[in-house]
Amino acid sequence: MPDGTVIEQFCLTNNQGVSLEILSLGGIIRRWLIPHNAKPPTDIVLGFDSVQAYLSDDSYLGALVGRYANRIAEGKLCLESKNYQLDINQGDNCLHGGSQGFNNKVWQSTVLSRDENPAIALQLESPDGDQGFPGALSTKVIYTLTESNRLKIEYFATSKRTTVFNPTNHSYFNLSGHNSGSVNNQHIQVVASYYTPTDAHAIPTGELIKVEGTPFDFRKLSTIEQALTSAHPQIQYGNGLDHNLCIDSYDPQSQEAKYAAKATSENTDISLKVYTTMPGIQVFTANHFDHKKGKQDSLYHAHQGLCFETQFYPDSPNQPQFPSATLKAGEAFYSVTEYEVLF
Ligand code: GAL
């Protein structure tokens, strides 16, 4: 790091030959290699080659995001009758926890398992008032690569004062390989009957709208392209998919990750399945990428990656009808998202 702090890189490899590289900087997933019998492995996530590139980019490639994934309108938060002003870092809004979010922090790391199901824990203390959020927050994320090819990401937190908490991982997947061009021809499924439409600045209007008859109907496996080429105003706002879908299987009482989404590439026959305890999933297609210089001299263009960011709905602190991201003082937060690779 510029201040001399050393960043560690961990490599989680299972007996099936799946291998992940994770940095203590932002918990960034830098590589995710899927083996092939004959050919070199396919790296299914976008990333950079240097720390400097991660620090100077604002697209959260592979990173842990917090304290609050996605946007809070005008950075305004009211909790227990107190108003808080959060850091404004995109337009008029607070995006992904503010300009010095979890993605920019070096986390304390511990190796939990070196053998089967390799696992690491990353811990971070976020002080009271960090980016404007109330409450000293202790958070821990455990990454486990299972022998059944799932990357399990468990999020834990407690806060000294009542606050909001909405962590995610912001990996950009490309199941044909990180440098293989656009994801347009890949297929996705999202088990969601409703989505949360936004205004032109990606702030939810507050409505839940049925996906039926819209480009957001991914209940049956369909190409990403059918949505990207739609003339629907919601797609035009951001040059592609950048929307929160409401996961049908969400159960606020359950700590068991349930199936929510899938993506698949016919080129490589690699599929990804997403299981989560969270109520929403931001489906984002890297709409603003424009010759971004990525790993190994690759150039990333618009629609070259697909994010499945599990989350509370964007701006939920200002939308009382959305599931609540409030974390009460002293209570324990737990969520889990699992990404399973099939090949
Ligand atoms: C997404 C968000 C996008 C964009 C991206 C980061 O989660 O929905 O609008 O900000 O992160 O580049």
Side-chain angles (χ1 to χ4, degrees):
M1 290 290 280
D3 70 358
T5 308
V6 173
I7 297 168
E8 290 164 292
Q9 176 172 281
F10 297 88
C11 185
L12 307 186
T13 303
N14 70 7
N15 290 321
Q16 326 307 320
V18 173
S19 176
L20 279 132
E21 286 174 16
I22 298 174
L23 305 180
S24 60
L25 169 65
I28 289 167
I29 299 173
R30 208 181 79 77
R31 290 220 267 180
W32 195 327
L33 300 176
I34 310 303
H36 281 284
N37 282 339
K39 292 182 262 165
T42 302
D43 185 354
I44 59 165
V45 289
L46 278 56
F48 298 118
D49 284 329
S50 71
V51 167
Q52 190 43 47
Y54 279 105
L55 293 177
S56 55
D57 188 71
D58 61 0
S59 296
Y60 303 83
L61 270 66
L64 294 174
V65 169
R67 296 186 186 190
Y68 194 96
N70 213 282
R71 293 170 180 78
I72 296 182
E74 297 177 5
K76 290 201 186 313
L77 187 63
C78 181
L79 284 169
E80 298 179 332
S81 314
K82 280 200 199 118
N83 292 317
Y84 299 93
Q85 180 59 54
L86 308 176
D87 187 47
I88 302 293
N89 60 330
Q90 198 202 45
D92 294 334
N93 306 311
C94 179
L95 174 70
H96 293 328
S99 52
Q100 295 304 314
F102 287 1
N103 59 300
N104 278 327
K105 305 271 167 71
V106 179
W107 295 54
Q108 289 296 322
S109 55
T110 317
V111 175
L112 300 180
S113 162
R114 291 177 189 274
D115 304 318
E116 294 212 325
N117 306 309
I120 57 167
L122 298 174
Q123 278 171 276
L124 186 72
E125 300 298 324
S126 170
D128 186 19
D130 193 4
Q131 311 302 298
F133 289 93
L137 182 98
S138 301
T139 183
K140 179 168 79 174
V141 175
I142 297 183
Y143 282 111
T144 307
L145 175 62
T146 72
E147 296 304 327
S148 53
N149 301 324
R150 289 191 183 201
L151 178 71
K152 186 172 177 184
I153 312 180
E154 292 171 283
Y155 301 88
F156 305 80
T158 53
S159 173
K160 292 250 162 43
R161 281 161 64 196
T162 296
T163 190
V164 289
F165 192 55
N166 180 24
T168 195
N169 177 276
H170 207 302
S171 288
Y172 290 78
F173 294 97
N174 189 323
L175 301 177
S176 301
H178 77 101
N179 56 356
S180 67
S182 97
V183 295
N184 290 20
N185 294 327
Q186 296 176 32
H187 290 70
I188 61 172
Q189 179 181 50
V190 186
V191 190
S193 304
Y194 291 84
Y195 78 107
T196 51
T198 68
D199 66 14
H201 305 289
I203 297 294
T205 60
E207 302 151 284
L208 300 187
I209 301 279
K210 283 197 168 144
V211 295
E212 196 165 1
T214 76
F216 307 103
D217 191 351
F218 293 110
R219 290 173 297 173
K220 293 202 181 106
L221 204 61
S222 39
T223 63
I224 294 173
E225 186 162 43
Q226 63 79 26
L228 297 186
T229 52
S230 161
H232 195 289
Q234 288 284 321
I235 295 287
Q236 300 302 313
Y237 281 158
N239 179 35
L241 285 164
D242 187 6
H243 292 82
N244 172 66
L245 276 66
C246 310
I247 298 168
D248 288 345
S249 62
Y250 174 58
D251 172 1
Q253 307 308 328
S254 171
Q255 296 204 334
E256 188 196 331
K258 303 225 176 57
Y259 174 66
K262 176 180 173 169
T264 185
S265 160
E266 286 174 353
N267 290 352
T268 54
D269 273 336
I270 296 172
S271 299
L272 175 82
K273 283 180 155 183
V274 184
Y275 306 80
T276 189
T277 54
M278 294 299 270
I281 186 164
Q282 188 79 11
V283 181
F284 176 54
T285 44
N287 307 324
H288 61 293
F289 283 13
D290 182 16
H291 292 80
K292 189 186 285 296
K293 199 175 169 313
K295 285 183 283 195
Q296 298 153 329
D297 296 327
S298 47
L299 286 178
Y300 299 147
H301 302 283
H303 309 146
Q304 185 148 349
L306 166 72
C307 300
F308 275 145
E309 302 154 60
T310 56
Q311 61 184 3
F312 284 108
Y313 304 170
D315 198 31
S316 72
N318 298 306
Q319 302 286 353
Q321 70 282 22
F322 289 175
S324 170
T326 300
L327 175 62
K328 294 235 169 76
E331 279 186 359
F333 175 93
Y334 177 78
S335 75
V336 54
T337 293
E338 298 185 23
Y339 295 99
E340 178 184 27
V341 179
L342 300 112
F343 55 94

